[in-house]
């Protein structure tokens, strides 16, 4: 279930391809506030994470200021780009699917080739922890994916796990699908 989304422009920045940490932080805070999700409720961030010397420190500063500051334990972050490469306009969907699979399988996959970590990013000072090895998702009842940004724009979404109860087969398929299945199994049966 996606509890909140938002999109915004970074506004005036020193360069066309440089994001604004302040604009990204503002957007993250707005989306989480409207969704009723506090920074302490966020248990994982799927970051844009292109591996650039300029963009990653700016994104991490925004993530740290909005979601990492004041936490008891560092906020795990990762990026699917290290596993698949940059998929251009499909990158956001790949990140969302990674989060869905994390919820389903209960494992946060490693961000490959993350080490050595970028020395321009003070991960511990920002309250962030790159996921460099697979880790269990236990204790992560609602892992969100609050970030995807590109160029001078930013977008955020927060998917959370649905309740862990299983739906009955009839309810999962829906009444019409169940009736259709029964009719085809017993074609001579009256409605």
């Amino acid at each position: 279930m996606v509890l909140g989304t938002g999109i915004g422009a970074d506004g005036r920045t020193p360069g066309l391809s440089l994001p604004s940490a302040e604009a990204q932080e503002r957007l993250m805070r707005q989306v989480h506030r409207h969704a009723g999700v506090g920074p302490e409720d966020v248990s994982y961030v799927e970051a844009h994470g292109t591996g650039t010397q300029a963009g990653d420190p700016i994104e991490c500063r925004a993530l740290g200021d909005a979601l990492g500051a004041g936490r008891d334990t560092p906020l795990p972050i990762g990026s699917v780009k290290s596993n698949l490469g940059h998929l251009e306009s499909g990158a956001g969907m790949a990140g969302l699917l990674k989060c869905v699979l994390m919820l389903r399988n209960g494992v946060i996959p490693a961000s490959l080739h993350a080490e050595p970590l970028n020395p321009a990013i003070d991960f511990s000072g920002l309250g962030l922890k790159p996921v460099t090895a697979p880790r269990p998702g236990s204790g992560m009842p609602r892992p969100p994916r609050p970030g995807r940004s590109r160029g001078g724009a930013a977008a955020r979404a927060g998917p959370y796990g649905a309740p862990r109860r299983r739906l009955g087969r009839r309810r999962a398929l829906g009444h019409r699908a169940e009736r259709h299945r029964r009719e085809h199994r017993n074609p001579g049966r009256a409605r």
Side-chain angles (χ1 to χ4, degrees):
M1 162 183 353
V2 176
L3 296 180
T5 61
I7 189 163
D10 281 340
R12 187 177 204 101
T13 61
L16 182 61
S17 63
L18 292 176
S20 163
E22 293 79 17
Q24 289 186 12
E25 177 187 356
R26 202 170 33 251
L27 181 62
M28 277 185 258
R29 289 184 187 277
Q30 176 186 358
V31 168
H32 286 89
R33 184 176 54 253
H34 286 236
V37 177
E40 66 283 351
D41 296 325
V42 178
S43 49
Y44 173 79
V45 170
E46 176 63 21
H48 185 56
T50 56
T52 63
Q53 292 301 311
D56 285 0
I58 292 170
E59 180 181 23
C60 285
R61 191 175 102 213
L63 289 170
D65 290 348
L67 304 172
R71 298 175 68 93
D72 292 333
T73 58
L75 175 63
I77 63 170
S79 175
V80 74
K81 286 181 187 68
S82 70
N83 303 76
L84 301 175
H86 198 313
L87 301 175
E88 298 299 330
S89 60
M93 186 55 68
L96 180 61
L97 291 174
K98 176 183 172 184
C99 288
V100 169
L101 289 171
M102 286 172 29
L103 288 167
R104 185 176 201 192
N105 298 320
V107 175
I108 305 171
S111 290
L112 305 177
H113 316 295
E115 295 178 315
L117 297 177
N118 187 332
I121 302 172
D122 180 10
F123 289 104
S124 62
L126 293 169
L128 305 175
K129 174 86 173 125
V131 179
T132 57
R135 54 188 285 178
S138 60
M140 293 182 51
R142 300 177 299 191
R145 178 205 166 257
R148 179 68 54 210
S149 60
R150 182 173 175 209
R156 301 281 178 243
Y160 291 86
R164 292 232 174 232
R165 84 171 197 244
R166 288 210 170 259
L167 298 174
R169 181 166 173 81
R170 180 176 176 165
R171 186 168 171 204
L173 291 173
H175 180 69
R176 295 177 111 184
E178 180 67 18
R179 188 177 79 197
H180 178 72
R181 190 176 61 80
R182 265 195 325 266
E183 288 172 359
H184 286 317
R185 187 173 37 185
N186 300 318
R189 191 174 190 182
R191 295 183 188 187

